Every structure is written in C-alpha cells, then in structure tokens.
Amino acid sequence: MKKPLRYGLIGCGGFGRFCLGEYQRMPELTCVAVTDNDEALARKTADEHHLAFCPSVEAMLKRGDIDLVHLATPPFTHMNLALAALEAGKHVLCEKPLALNVMDAERMVRKAQERNRLLTVNLIMRHNPLCQAVKAIVNSQVLGAPLYATLVNAAQDENLPPAHWFWDPAKSGGIFIEHGVHFFDLFEWWFGAGTLLSAQEIRRPGTGIVDQVHCAVQYGAMTLGTFYHGFHQMRSRDEQSWRIIFELGTLTMSEWVPTCMELDVTLSNEGMETIRKILPDSEVRVTDLYFGNDQHPSSRHRNRSVDLRAVVSAGAGLEKKALYGRMVRDLMRDQISAIGNPGRQRMITEANGVSSLAWAEAAHQMAGQRPLSPVP
Ligand SMILES: NC(=O)c1ccc[n+]([C@@H]2O[C@H](COP(=O)([O-])OP(=O)(O)OC[C@H]3O[C@@H](n4cnc5c(N)ncnc54)[C@H](O)[C@@H]3O)[C@@H](O)[C@H]2O)c1
C-alpha cells in the first residue's frame, strides 16, 4: 500500500475545519499541522484535532513532513498562497474559486506545471451520486434532449454579517465567483459548451451589497440554463431547487448539495428499464399506462412511442451533512490517487477550476455593466 500523503491545513475557518474532520477519517491521508492568521483559532484547531500548530504559512511551508496543503482561506488569498506553496514543493488543494479571475488562475496552473505538483480545486459537486445520475441520464438520451435547466438558490445569510469578506467583491469575487462556480462547472459537465446570454445583479437597498444575481446560458443548440443565487434568507428558510425539463420528462432535486431527486417521465418500457439501471435504488410509481393510439403521441413535431408515465424517487437515505462529507473525501481520494500517476483521469481538474471561473467572471462583468439600481 502507498504511504499516506501528509497534509497541512491553511485556514481554520468553518469549511477548513469541516474538511479536516473528514480528512482525518481517510487512511490515504495523515493530517499533520494547521495554521491560520487567527493564531488563537489555529491553536484551538490544532489542540482539538491533536495536530501540530504552525505560527505562520511560511512556517508550514518550510516543514519537510507536509506533502499537500489545503487552502481554505478566502478567495482573494488563493493565488499568492498557492504560488508560495507550489514554489515550496507542496501539492495544493485550493478551495473554490481557484482565484478571483482567470488570469490569476492560469498563473497558478503554470506554476504547478513548472514545479510538477498537483494543483486542484475543491469543486465537490461532481462527486454527488445524484449529480452523477443526472450526467448519466443526459448522456443516455433516455429522456430525449434537455431543453431547460434551472437552479434557484435562496440561501441564508445569518452567518454573513455586513463586514464579512463574502460581501466584498475585492475579497470574494462576488456571488457568481464565490459560489456560482460550483454550478457553472456542473451545468457545463452535464450539457457541454455554452454561451452566456445575459446576467443581472440586484443591490440590497440602502447598501452597496449585491445579494441577488441571475444569469442565463445557452448550452449547445437547444438547452437554456438559468441560475439564480440570492443570499437573504433566515437559516430555517434556506432552500435550493433544481429543475431540468427534458423532452420526455422533468427532473427535480432539492438542496444545494442535492439529497433527493424526483423524475416525472413518460417513456417506453425500454426507456423505463434504462432509468431503473441508472437509478437502481429508486422507487418507481407508475401513474398511467398507455394503450392503442395513446402510445403514439407527438411533441416538437416528432412522433413518440410511450407505454407509461411514472414518478421515480431517488436519494432516499441520503443525509445532507454525511453526503457532503463523503463528497469532500471522495474528491480528495480521487485527487491524491493521481499523484505520481499523472495518466490517471480525475473527476475534477484545475482546468475545470479555470473554466468555471471564466463563466463566473463573464457573468459578474455582464451583470455589473447594467446601471446600478437607484437606491431608495
Ligand atoms: N467547496 C465547498 O463546498 C466550500 C464550502 C464552503 C466554503 N468554501 C470555500 O472555502 C474558503 C473558506 O471559506 P470559509 O467559509 O471557511 O471562510 P472563513 O472566513 O470561515 O475561514 C477562513 C479562514 O482563513 C483565515 N485566513 C484568511 N487569510 C489567511 C491567510 N492569508 N493565511 C492564513 N489564514 C488566513 C481566516 O482567519 C479564517 O479563519 C472560501 O474560498 C470558500 O469559498 C468551499
């Protein structure tokens, strides 16, 4: 068995600590040390997890017993920390977004190539089994073409006081860049190349804070995608919904880390078999059976051949936090198995980090070109 990779955490905030807890469960990793600008927080994290405390990033990067660092600091710090870590010969798992803009992200990628180190980005969504099922459904074409896909994210902002770095685009990049990259990456993975059609932003009245963004993208010849992100809800009202309308059915999911999926489909018996193979643990409820002429309806000026309508429910038993943790571990496992084995295909690469950022940067700029809404 390969020796475990030795890991150091830079940034002991909410997400860095969550990932650390997950990584400590992985036999492929030995967690060694932590650091943070906030010394008290770094010491507390080190004590709680029985790890070494490093007084600074420089001190951590000098350690010979660390192979890979996880950058879990705010976005504006990613580029310089990644360049320093790569220069010091460490592999880097960088939090999303890879950087604040594509130019900086490409600089990071070049440095990783120069130093022959792994650089990757923690875009975990592709490791969600339901997101993988969407990919399989799209690829199989069992539901025909995807025509419309939308994500509506009405997120809580209880943990985001006005002075939080999240609201400052110079630190976070803004909502499309800080948060939207997850979903730009996923839609591109599902639907292929696209074109940004429009983007909008809304400022919270009486403040400079942009708390709502929206954009529309066309994928290929016929898929329209839209993304809405608003950070304005009470914790108890935090909600996300996904909807994909195909020619032969509609797929819905809820939660930003989706934990359940429902399909309402009208299919032939063979089509239904394909769905059952893609979602083997799903529950299928047949709601209609078709006979005679009813088996040959048409849509989009094409004849269809159908035997039944059914509602398919998948994801039973997935609990959000446990699933989130599993996705975090699966991404890390996939990445480290590529170290020393460069031919191995990874689920997510730094190129996806750059590409998702290109979408987000374009949407950010397009939205910002609109005149600002008058402040009442
Ligand atoms: N992949 C995901 O699903 C996911 C989820 C949540 C957050 N994130 C990302 O993780 C990153 C951190 O988010 P968070 O919510 O944990 O933020 P946070 O503010 O809770 O934590 C950031 C920590 O970094 C420290 N820090 C800042 N600059 C530093 C520096 N130069 N050197 C050392 N420490 C420094 C801060 O003191 C703080 O403790 C962000 O990029 C965010 O987008 C990713």
Side-chain angles (χ1 to χ4, degrees):
M1 197 182 123
K2 258 169 96 175
K3 278 210 298 204
L5 206 72
R6 298 162 304 175
Y7 152 97
L9 170 64
I10 301 181
C12 302
F15 197 60
R17 286 198 317 269
F18 174 68
C19 292
L20 173 58
E22 295 299 327
Y23 297 151
Q24 283 193 306
R25 300 174 55 190
M26 294 177 62
E28 300 90 337
L29 274 185
T30 302
C31 300
V32 176
V34 303
T35 189
D36 194 290
N37 272 353
D38 177 341
E39 188 181 320
L41 178 62
R43 280 192 190 280
K44 185 165 171 275
T45 309
D47 288 350
E48 279 172 8
H49 292 263
H50 310 290
L51 301 175
F53 155 78
C54 289
S56 65
V57 171
E58 294 69 34
M60 176 174 281
L61 297 183
K62 277 197 191 125
R63 290 182 74 117
D65 60 353
I66 288 180
D67 307 306
L68 175 145
V69 292
H70 176 205
L71 300 181
T73 53
F76 71 102
T77 65
H78 291 175
M79 183 185 74
N80 283 329
L81 290 174
L83 293 180
L86 292 164
E87 192 56 48
K90 311 298 182 199
H91 301 291
V92 173
L93 166 63
C94 182
E95 260 324 312
K96 56 80 191 166
L98 203 46
L100 288 183
N101 57 60
V102 170
M103 210 191 277
D104 288 356
E106 285 176 340
R107 215 173 132 192
M108 293 157 72
V109 173
R110 282 197 301 277
K111 175 64 80 180
Q113 284 164 352
E114 239 172 75
R115 304 292 299 166
N116 195 21
R117 298 288 91 177
L118 178 91
L119 165 69
T120 194
V121 60
N122 214 9
L123 289 172
I124 54 173
M125 300 298 277
R126 295 189 189 197
H127 289 278
N128 182 307
L130 296 179
C131 296
Q132 292 171 3
V134 174
K135 171 85 174 151
I137 289 168
V138 172
N139 282 1
S140 72
Q141 299 182 2
V142 61
L143 297 183
L147 301 171
Y148 178 64
T150 186
L151 167 77
V152 177
N153 171 23
Q156 60 120 341
D157 66 352
E158 275 194 27
N159 297 332
L160 300 171
H164 196 283
W165 58 259
F166 177 84
W167 299 118
D168 180 354
K171 293 189 170 152
S172 67
I175 294 176
F176 280 127
I177 290 172
E178 203 281 336
H179 193 66
V181 285
H182 272 309
F183 310 95
F184 285 126
D185 176 65
L186 213 44
F187 275 43
E188 190 172 43
W189 187 49
W190 289 340
F191 307 126
T195 311
L196 180 66
L197 301 176
S198 69
Q200 300 80 29
E201 64 182 32
I202 299 278
R203 277 166 204 266
R204 187 173 294 184
T207 74
I209 283 176
V210 172
D211 69 352
Q212 300 185 76
V213 299
H214 175 271
C215 71
V217 175
Q218 179 171 340
Y219 294 96
M222 57 189 160
T223 308
L224 183 64
T226 67
F227 303 83
Y228 169 80
H229 298 285
F231 283 78
H232 40 45
Q233 294 292 302
M234 293 176 272
R235 192 195 308 264
S236 60
R237 294 204 57 83
D238 183 274
E239 63 157 297
Q240 291 78 33
S241 59
W242 310 66
R243 189 174 183 83
I244 307 176
I245 299 177
F246 294 83
E247 289 177 300
L248 304 177
T250 296
L251 180 158
T252 52
M253 299 193 290
S254 54
E255 307 254 24
W256 83 264
V257 169
T259 49
C260 61
M261 176 192 285
E262 193 164 281
L263 287 165
D264 179 355
V265 297
T266 302
L267 284 174
S268 63
N269 290 326
E270 299 77 56
M272 202 57 228
E273 264 321 291
T274 305
I275 291 286
R276 283 183 204 270
K277 280 190 190 134
I278 293 172
L279 295 165
D281 298 324
S282 58
E283 202 183 284
V284 178
R285 189 163 49 87
V286 175
T287 54
D288 219 340
L289 289 171
Y290 301 114
F291 301 98
N293 281 347
D294 289 348
Q295 286 178 298
H296 306 288
S298 85
S299 64
R300 306 186 81 223
H301 302 145
R302 279 180 59 190
N303 293 328
R304 312 287 177 179
S305 178
V306 299
D307 295 306
L308 54 87
R309 182 167 181 162
V311 173
V312 182
S313 307
L318 291 177
E319 190 273 318
K320 186 174 169 189
K321 197 163 171 216
L323 175 61
Y324 201 176
R326 187 173 118 196
M327 289 156 63
V328 160
R329 280 179 277 126
D330 284 352
L331 183 140
M332 180 64 107
R333 188 174 302 110
D334 184 46
Q335 297 295 326
I336 60 185
S337 61
I339 293 177
N341 186 5
R344 193 180 175 285
Q345 248 196 329
R346 290 172 282 151
M347 183 75 99
I348 274 286
T349 67
E350 56 284 13
N352 304 125
V354 176
S355 172
S356 59
L357 190 53
W359 281 105
E361 200 181 351
H364 176 79
Q365 284 175 10
M366 194 184 272
Q369 281 164 21
R370 288 175 66 243
L372 295 180
S373 329
V375 176

